[in-house]
Amino acid sequence: MTHPLDLTARAIADGIRSGAFSAETVVGESIRRAKTVSQTLNPFAVIREEQALEAACQADLAVARGEATGPLHGVPFAAKDLTPTAGDLTTLGSWTRGTWIPTQTALCIRRLQAAGAILMGKTTTPEFAFSSFTNSPRWGVTRNPWNPERTSGGSSGGAGVAVATGVVPFAEGTDMGGSVRIPAAFCGIVGLKPSLGRIPMTILPSVFDNISHFGPLARSVGDAVAFMETAAGGSDEDIASLPIGFDGSAARTGGLEGKRFALSIDLGYYAIAPQVETVIRQVVAEMRKAGAIVDEVPMGWTRAVNDEWFDLWCVFMSAFFGGELTEHRHHMDPSIVSMIERGLAMNATAYKRVELLRTAMWRDMARLYERYDALLCPTCAITAPPVTETDDDYAATLPDGRFKGLDLTCPFNMLPQLPALSLPAGFAADGLPVGLQIVGRRFADEQVLSMAAAVEARLAAAGFNTPPMEAAGRSLER
C-alpha cells in the first residue's frame, strides 16, 4: 500500500487536515527513511528528529482544535546545509564553520514553515557548494540512489537523494551553476532554477550577486509548483527580488498542442554521451506525438561559456570565502583552495568583460524566443559519473574539438533571468536517469512549469520513467 508520505505535498497536507492520517505518521516515516538511506547514501548532515516530531505533534493538535492551517500543513521537507536555519548546526560542508548554530532562519525556509511545512533535516553539500560532486571534507561522499558507486551530483546532492528516496516530497536547494538541476538529473527527479529574483536570495554576504538562485528539488512538477507558490515573491530582504507573485494555477495547467520548442542536443560544443542523446530524442518524439512543434536549431556557442562562467565562480568564491585561507587552508578541499586563489588573481577588467559574452548569449536567446516558447537540451552530457571523479575530469577539449563537460546547466546561470528546469526523461542504457532541460523566456517560470507538467504526464503514460531491466536491482529501497 502507498504510504501517505508518498502522496504529493498538497495531498499530504489535505490528508492531515481531513484527519485521514496524522502529521506524526508522515513525519515519523520521513525520519525513518532518512535514517535508512543515511546508512548507504549519506544525504544528511543533520536529521532533526526531535524537533520535527514535536512540530508534527503541534500540527495534529492544530487540526484537532480546528485552527487555521497553511497549504503545506504537516508536509516534511529538507533544507541544504548551505542555508542557515535557527537552532541547527550549519556547516556549508566545511570545517571552517566549526559548530556554528545560526539564530536566524533564511527567508525561503521561513516561508515554507509559515505555510505549515516541517523541516526534518539538513542535506549535504560540497564545501561552500562549489562542486558538481557532493563530497565534502566535513561530511564525506553522498552517493546516487540508483547506483551507490556513482555521484548524486552537486551541489544540492543530499537534497537530490532525500527526494529521490522518498524521504520528502521536495527539498530546498541552491543553484549557482546547476546545483539544483545536476542532482535532479542524476537522481531522476525535478529540479528548477527559477528566474533571478522570483525567490529572494538572502543567504549571501552580497544581495547584488546575479548567478545565485534558491530552487526546489521535487518528486514531481506539481510538488515543485507547491514549493514555488510558498517560497516565491518579493521581499526587501533582497533588493533584487521581484515584486510579483506566483500563479500556481497557471503553472499547473496547459498542454503541448501547438507549443513550439527549439532543440539543441549539444549547445554547439558539448560532447554528449550517445545513451543520453538517445533518451532525449525519444522524449522529443513523444512531445511531437502530443502536438508540440520541435525544431532542431544550431546554437554556435563554445566552451568559452563554461570557462568564463568558471571565472565568475572563482571570483564568487574568493570574494566570499577567500578570508578562510589564512586559518583553515589545511582542512579545506584543495580544489576550492585553487579556485579561491584563481579568483584572487583575476583581473578586474577581464572580469567585467565576461558581460560581453553574456550579452551575446542573451541576444542569441532573444532571437530564439521570437519563434519558440522554450529551448530543450539535455541537463547533463552524461549519466551520473563515479564518485571517485571530480569536476577537473570534465574540463577538457577532446581531440575532435568537443568540450568534455559534465553539465549543460551553467550556461543558463550566465543568463539568470531565464528559468531552467530539469525534468526526468527516462533511463539510459546503463540504468541511470537522464534529465531534459527546459529553458524558458525570462521570468516565465509558470510557463516552464506548465510545459514540464505536460511533458511529465505524457512520459508517465508512455512508461518512460520505468527503469530498464538491468537497473531493476538498483531500484530505490525504503
Side-chain angles (χ1 to χ4, degrees):
M1 292 180 63
T2 298
H3 192 279
L5 180 56
D6 297 321
L7 301 173
T8 67
R10 293 177 79 191
I12 291 171
D14 289 344
I16 292 169
R17 273 192 294 268
S18 71
F21 44 81
S22 68
E24 193 169 4
T25 296
V26 173
V27 172
E29 176 64 7
S30 176
I31 298 296
R32 187 194 71 79
R33 292 182 185 181
K35 291 180 177 180
T36 299
V37 301
S38 292
Q39 295 172 19
T40 54
L41 304 181
N42 189 35
F44 287 99
V46 174
I47 297 176
R48 304 176 75 251
E49 180 173 10
E50 183 177 343
Q51 302 97 313
L53 288 173
E54 174 59 25
C57 179
Q58 294 302 315
D60 289 331
L61 286 174
V63 171
R65 294 169 182 152
E67 297 173 3
T69 59
L72 297 176
H73 189 73
V75 176
F77 77 103
K80 191 173 179 177
D81 186 32
L82 190 74
T83 303
T85 54
D88 298 319
L89 177 68
T90 302
T91 74
L92 288 67
S94 177
W95 289 111
T96 67
R97 289 305 181 264
T99 57
W100 181 44
I101 297 178
T103 57
Q104 292 185 321
T105 297
L107 176 61
C108 177
I109 307 304
R110 297 202 313 267
R111 285 178 168 178
L112 293 167
Q113 291 176 314
I118 294 174
L119 179 62
M120 55 70 55
K122 302 292 291 289
T123 57
T124 51
T125 176
E127 190 165 26
F128 306 139
F130 87 95
S131 176
S132 303
F133 294 75
T134 296
N135 180 4
S136 74
R138 186 83 182 240
W139 303 108
V141 175
T142 298
R143 299 175 182 274
N144 191 292
W146 297 98
N147 182 343
E149 297 307 311
R150 304 297 185 99
T151 183
S152 62
S155 64
S156 306
V161 174
V163 173
T165 55
V167 175
V168 289
F170 58 68
E172 171 263 332
T174 60
D175 192 312
M176 289 82 167
S179 287
V180 164
R181 290 160 288 157
I182 294 167
F186 286 167
C187 293
I189 60 173
V190 174
L192 173 67
K193 175 192 80 70
S195 304
L196 186 72
R198 292 302 297 265
I199 300 176
M201 172 51 69
T202 62
I203 67 172
L204 303 178
S206 167
V207 294
F208 292 96
D209 177 76
N210 68 1
I211 64 170
S212 302
H213 311 250
F214 282 120
L217 297 96
R219 287 198 298 233
S220 66
V221 175
D223 284 336
V225 172
F227 181 104
M228 290 295 295
E229 285 178 311
T230 296
S235 167
D236 283 347
E237 291 187 34
D238 176 12
I239 193 173
S241 64
L242 301 175
I244 58 176
F246 180 85
D247 186 350
S249 60
R252 289 189 172 90
T253 58
L256 294 175
E257 181 73 36
K259 290 288 190 297
R260 299 182 63 90
F261 297 91
L263 169 67
S264 175
I265 292 294
D266 60 7
L267 298 183
Y269 64 104
Y270 276 89
I272 305 297
Q275 63 174 350
V276 170
E277 179 173 353
T278 295
V279 172
I280 297 299
R281 291 195 181 279
Q282 289 171 344
V283 171
V284 167
E286 286 296 319
M287 293 174 66
R288 287 173 173 148
K289 290 177 187 177
I293 299 164
V294 185
D295 296 331
E296 197 152 356
V297 301
M299 290 298 293
W301 292 353
T302 72
R303 72 165 286 181
V305 171
N306 299 68
D307 293 341
E308 296 196 25
W309 169 83
F310 187 66
D311 285 340
L312 296 183
W313 191 219
C314 289
V315 171
F316 177 105
M317 287 295 167
S318 64
F320 298 153
F321 303 110
E324 303 294 349
L325 292 184
T326 301
E327 183 177 352
H328 296 290
R329 176 191 292 262
H330 64 287
H331 57 202
M332 291 171 66
D333 188 308
S335 293
I336 202 165
V337 171
S338 296
M339 288 174 60
I340 288 172
E341 291 176 337
R342 178 184 172 93
L344 290 170
M346 182 76 177
N347 176 278
T349 300
Y351 177 81
K352 186 66 175 177
R353 283 180 179 153
V354 175
E355 292 177 15
L356 302 181
L357 175 62
R358 297 175 79 172
T359 299
M361 292 172 67
W362 166 241
R363 288 173 178 161
D364 288 340
M365 293 299 292
R367 284 191 293 270
L368 184 146
Y369 291 130
E370 291 174 2
R371 294 187 59 198
Y372 299 102
D373 297 300
L375 171 69
L376 306 176
C377 65
T379 306
C380 293
I382 57 173
T383 56
V387 294
T388 54
E389 295 185 343
T390 70
D391 293 293
D392 290 342
D393 293 306
Y394 296 92
T397 297
L398 299 172
D400 64 358
R402 292 269 156 184
F403 177 54
K404 184 188 177 185
L406 183 146
D407 64 87
L408 286 74
T409 55
C410 69
F412 302 105
N413 291 83
M414 296 279 269
L415 302 170
Q417 290 82 4
L418 306 185
L421 181 145
S422 182
L423 182 73
F427 290 81
D430 63 3
L432 294 172
V434 172
L436 171 71
Q437 189 169 208
I438 304 172
V439 184
R441 293 187 176 99
R442 58 196 182 104
F443 308 122
D445 298 67
E446 290 91 340
Q447 185 183 36
V448 165
L449 285 158
S450 172
M451 293 184 291
V455 178
E456 179 183 62
R458 179 77 189 193
L459 297 185
F464 267 61
N465 282 306
T466 301
M469 289 300 292
E470 58 265 35
R474 304 172 190 163
S475 58
L476 308 185
E477 296 181 2
R478 295 170 186 166

